Amino acid sequence: MASEFAKHGVVKDVLDEAPPAIAKVTYNGGLSVSPGVVLTPTQVQHVPTVEWTAKEGTYYSLLMHDPDAPSKQNPKFGEWHHWCVANIPGSDVTNGEIMSEYIGSGPPKGTGLHRYVFLIYEQKAKQTFAGMSKLTNRSANGRASWKAREFAKKHDLKLVAGNFYWAEFDDYVPKLYEQMKG
């Protein structure tokens, strides 16, 4: 697994080292994510189920980022932040605090494949995440240049699991952009 994160540049561009475990990420219809698989924005438009081995009585944070915004060759807006759920009790994402509502993959037309990285961090305790604005999925504001390393360091988080896939433009992307104008 660590080799996939290194081979695809996730280690270096997003992380200093590969996560110690794979997070199980499943989209509608049982579509499973495995490191480096190619999926379409249409396939990943809805919030996935994310699972990992969690310690009882421990809180976690879940991030999803695109380090390749607007393109892998010119990532001036990367990491573009797609989703953040904090204060997750154990691995029960549905009972976590949504800091940023989920936005599926939306690589611009002609920019090739983008990586979409899921990261699970163990928190030392339940936190307030002071200074962090809650983001809606109706706007792109506050999502560009959001660094996982900085988030983890600022909040003293420990990486425990991760996963990622690649995606490129398809017919769903214009619909996603229209949603974010709201």
Side-chain angles (χ1 to χ4, degrees):
M1 180 211 48
S3 64
E4 290 299 309
F5 279 79
K7 178 176 131 184
H8 294 277
V10 175
V11 170
K12 180 179 90 58
D13 294 344
V14 179
L15 301 167
D16 294 326
E17 58 187 28
I22 290 285
K24 182 179 177 185
V25 179
T26 309
Y27 283 94
N28 288 351
L31 181 65
S32 292
V33 172
S34 59
V37 69
V38 176
L39 302 173
T40 68
T42 299
Q43 291 173 309
V44 299
Q45 65 183 287
H46 302 291
V47 177
T49 300
V50 181
E51 301 172 82
W52 65 94
T53 302
K55 297 178 194 171
E56 190 173 327
T58 302
Y59 290 97
Y60 295 86
S61 291
L62 161 65
L63 300 179
M64 178 186 170
H65 283 194
D66 171 5
D68 305 322
S71 70
K72 189 155 181 4
Q73 295 71 31
N74 181 26
K76 66 183 178 183
F77 301 127
E79 299 159 33
W80 207 84
H81 181 67
H82 283 259
W83 193 27
C84 179
V85 183
N87 295 319
I88 300 167
S91 61
D92 187 1
V93 176
T94 59
N95 280 313
E97 183 179 355
I98 298 172
M99 305 302 287
S100 305
E101 292 179 334
Y102 180 83
I103 292 178
S105 300
K109 192 171 191 169
T111 62
L113 289 166
H114 288 228
R115 296 165 292 177
Y116 293 87
V117 181
F118 294 89
L119 301 171
I120 311 300
Y121 291 96
E122 183 179 312
Q123 299 174 198
K124 290 193 174 185
K126 193 168 186 177
Q127 297 188 33
T128 61
F129 293 91
M132 185 173 174
S133 300
K134 293 198 176 182
L135 304 176
T136 174
N137 64 4
R138 299 280 178 205
S139 173
N141 292 338
R143 292 185 180 265
S145 302
W146 220 88
K147 307 292 185 214
R149 278 184 188 101
E150 292 172 13
F151 178 79
K153 185 176 180 179
K154 178 178 180 180
H155 299 289
D156 198 19
L157 306 176
K158 175 185 169 190
L159 182 63
V160 295
N163 206 334
F164 72 98
Y165 65 87
W166 291 87
E168 66 183 318
F169 181 90
D170 77 357
D171 292 343
Y172 173 70
V173 174
K175 294 173 189 164
L176 178 65
Y177 290 174
E178 194 60 36
Q179 169 191 312
M180 290 189 299
K181 287 181 183 176

